[in-house]
Amino acid sequence: DTAVSQTPKYLVTQMGNDKSIKCEQNLGHDTMYWYKQDSKKFLKIMFSYNNKELIINETVPNRFSPKSPDKAHLNLHINSLELGDSAVYFCASSQIAGETQYFGPGTRLLVL
Amino acid sequence: TQLLEQSPQFLSIQEGENLTVYCNSSSVFSSLQWYRQEPGEGPVLLVTVVTGGEVKKLKRLTFQFGDARKDSSLHITAAQPGDTGLYLCAGARSNYKLTFGKGTLLTVNP
């Protein structure tokens, strides 16, 4: 029983392509997040949704667009992928915004 | 601006040694969380400290929250190879955001 799941786990694609990463949580949490972890392991928040409403939107290129069809799902769509987008993207959820985060296993994105 | 400074960034020690990781900020946090991340996986919560001066113990790990709720430390006694991983501190504030430190990569050699 995976609490927070992400697909795909690995994503290798060409520059300029559009790709999506999906996230689902079965914890009944109200808040979900997307984080980006760079090669130096720095974990930085990108977006957060609370009950399908966007509550955090950091300085992220508008090529990145999150979508939350329901509170158990938060997907991330990336347009016109660039080399610098290569990183590990983590989805997380929490019962209360800003409190204990439960992370997914990550999606390793490599843009060639 | 990095709100949470973690040190050291890298730490390689022998099994049985003790170590301390520090997490410092000029900002006050409502709570501070410590996570451990193993290769190929997402971070997993170890502990949350909420009250200034609070000390929590998790087997050989001791966590302390500073009196002013601006800093925290993680002390590991008699480190074991299984403790190897990336340790992340994260501060929670009223704006829903959890701010992460840059992490301490710990390697415990047998």
Side-chain angles (χ1 to χ4, degrees), chain B residues 4-89:
Chain B
L4 268 175
E5 296 289 340
Q6 248 185 276
S7 61
Q9 191 175 353
F10 299 97
L11 192 53
S12 180
I13 61 171
Q14 293 301 119
E15 184 175 0
E17 291 183 8
N18 302 333
L19 66 113
T20 302
V21 176
Y22 298 93
C23 183
N24 296 300
S25 174
S26 56
S27 303
V28 176
F29 293 102
S30 56
S31 69
L32 202 134
Q33 303 167 24
W34 283 92
Y35 292 79
R36 182 168 72 206
Q37 184 179 10
E38 298 189 13
E41 298 181 11
V44 176
L45 181 75
L46 294 173
V47 79
T48 300
V49 285
V50 179
T51 309
E54 183 177 2
V55 176
K56 279 192 174 177
K57 290 196 173 188
L58 190 67
K59 295 183 182 177
R60 294 175 293 100
L61 279 60
T62 302
F63 303 85
Q64 186 161 7
F65 202 12
D67 291 340
R69 289 186 291 132
K70 293 182 180 181
D71 54 83
S72 182
S73 64
L74 157 61
H75 183 79
I76 302 179
T77 304
Q80 298 176 3
D83 297 327
T84 292
L86 179 69
Y87 289 81
L88 296 158
C89 66

Side-chain angles (χ1 to χ4, degrees), chain A residues 3-107:
Chain A
V4 182
S5 59
Q6 293 178 231
T7 54
K9 185 165 184 178
Y10 298 95
L11 185 52
V12 181
T13 188
Q14 297 288 330
M15 213 166 47
N17 284 351
D18 303 338
K19 290 293 179 186
S20 290
I21 308 172
K22 295 187 176 181
C23 179
E24 176 181 2
Q25 55 96 2
N26 62 8
L27 297 168
H29 288 166
D30 288 338
T31 311
M32 295 184 73
Y33 311 79
W34 276 111
Y35 287 88
K36 179 180 180 181
Q37 188 171 47
D38 61 24
S39 57
K40 295 184 178 179
K41 305 297 184 186
F42 182 40
L43 198 62
K44 189 173 180 187
I45 190 162
M46 300 172 69
F47 303 102
S48 178
Y49 272 74
N50 182 265
N51 274 320
K52 301 194 299 176
E53 182 181 342
L54 183 66
I55 58 170
I56 296 174
N57 186 356
E58 291 295 279
T59 308
V60 176
N62 57 16
R63 298 181 294 103
F64 290 78
S65 52
K67 281 191 171 53
S68 182
D70 55 62
K71 75 173 193 176
H73 295 85
L74 180 62
N75 303 322
L76 182 66
H77 187 76
I78 315 171
N79 288 327
S80 303
L81 278 155
E82 299 178 357
L83 296 177
D85 297 332
S86 297
V88 183
Y89 292 83
F90 285 101
C91 176
S93 72
S94 65
Q95 180 56 47
I96 299 172
E99 297 299 323
T100 302
Q101 320 257 298
Y102 293 81
F103 285 84
T107 295

